[in-house]
Amino acid sequence: MAGNLRPLVAGNWKMNGLKASTEVLRAIINDYDAALAGRVDLLVCPPATLLTAFADLAQGHRVAIGAQDCHSELAGAFTGDISAEMIADAGAAAVIVGHSERRAGHGESDADICAKAKAAWRAGLLPIVCVGETRAQRDAGQTLAVVERQVAQSVPDTLPADVVIAYEPVWAIGTGLTPTTGDVAEVHGAIRRQLVARYGGQGESIRLLYGGSVKPSNAAELMAVEHVNGALVGGASLFAADFLAIARGCCG
Ligand code: 13P
């Protein structure tokens, strides 16, 4: 765990969850005891259809709710999209932008993602900007170049409010594969140096999450790596017990 930054464990539910899944959030809220809440922040990002119900349920509790994507515009003729303002209006506090499943499946560019991060701030949301290399890029020795380019171009030049960056190697997502702790340390260290060079002291306080096959069994090891300030969890975040076990793994 790096420095004094308070860890954040975020659950990305992707395209999973129905109204009945409210019970999972209820269990997370109930078991997020004071000892854990004193040490780690929790964020649950359900599909857009559940944002309002989840935000209503989490109201008055310390679990924050986030969305998985937003459009960069305020409003308009963008069928199927939702704006950052709509997400805030639903009661959410954060939004994931630039997930590799959006970059690859929806053709999102670094410039698109940068605009979405700015839209998140415009609406008072915390943007979580995702970066990460593909298997082919890692095999070609391009990991740091790819990740540094994504950070340079997806994270806006000025930071009017907080931002979180999630390093998610594409090949580790949903595969059960994880990089070695040495590989994670190399990438997170490089991102930290890049942020400090670009933003000065502000770059020290940006939380860097690791994501990709984080489970209760590997969370403590991954979270102990320098400059890892939390986790972005996919599949395991759908189960309250696993999600909370990962959060506990964050506490050292
Ligand atoms: P998994 O934890 O299922 O590998 O997914 C990671 C992810 O994509 C989180 O955004």
Side-chain angles (χ1 to χ4, degrees):
M1 189 66 55
N4 302 319
L5 299 182
R6 188 178 154 86
L8 169 66
V9 174
N12 174 10
W13 280 28
K14 310 192 179 185
M15 198 170 74
N16 297 290
L18 301 170
K19 276 189 277 185
S21 318
T22 309
E23 291 312 311
V24 177
L25 178 63
R26 202 183 300 279
I28 291 170
I29 289 170
N30 287 343
D31 292 344
Y32 183 47
D33 54 44
L36 193 55
R39 301 181 68 181
V40 52
D41 291 334
L42 289 190
L43 173 71
V44 176
C45 301
T49 48
L50 293 175
L51 277 178
T52 302
F54 274 37
D56 287 352
L57 184 60
Q59 180 117 39
H61 300 282
R62 297 196 45 180
V63 178
I65 304 302
Q68 300 171 12
D69 178 48
C70 67
H71 198 282
S72 58
E73 295 291 330
L74 266 168
F78 304 103
T79 302
D81 285 312
I82 56 173
S83 69
E85 281 72 13
M86 291 170 179
I87 293 165
D89 187 51
V95 60
I96 298 167
V97 296
H99 192 281
S100 61
E101 289 152 15
R102 304 278 328 167
R103 289 179 184 264
H106 298 261
E108 293 187 6
S109 67
D110 288 321
D112 295 331
I113 294 153
C114 189
K116 289 175 185 226
K118 290 178 183 168
W121 286 324
R122 186 186 66 213
L125 301 175
L126 170 70
I128 299 174
V129 180
C130 301
V131 298
E133 83 286 0
T134 63
R135 179 83 251 172
Q137 289 165 334
R138 175 162 284 273
D139 290 345
Q142 297 169 346
T143 298
L144 292 186
V146 167
V147 168
E148 286 171 357
R149 189 210 74 225
Q150 290 175 335
V151 170
Q153 296 180 9
S154 306
V155 182
D157 283 333
T158 51
L159 306 178
D162 199 12
V163 62
V164 170
I165 296 173
Y167 168 57
E168 299 202 307
V170 177
W171 52 272
I173 294 176
T175 58
L177 303 172
T178 51
T180 64
T181 51
D183 290 338
V184 175
E186 183 184 31
V187 176
H188 279 240
I191 296 174
R192 179 67 70 206
R193 282 192 295 281
Q194 182 183 5
L195 294 174
V196 171
R198 188 172 173 199
Y199 303 109
Q202 248 185 318
E204 299 274 15
S205 63
I206 296 172
R207 288 181 289 188
L208 306 182
L209 312 186
Y210 168 78
S213 295
V214 178
K215 301 183 281 258
S217 57
N218 62 18
E221 185 185 31
L222 288 164
M223 296 303 114
V225 174
E226 197 179 6
H227 299 302
V228 174
N229 313 115
L232 181 54
V233 186
S237 72
L238 297 169
F239 304 94
D242 286 356
F243 189 54
L244 288 161
I246 290 168
R248 284 189 197 93
C250 242
C251 298

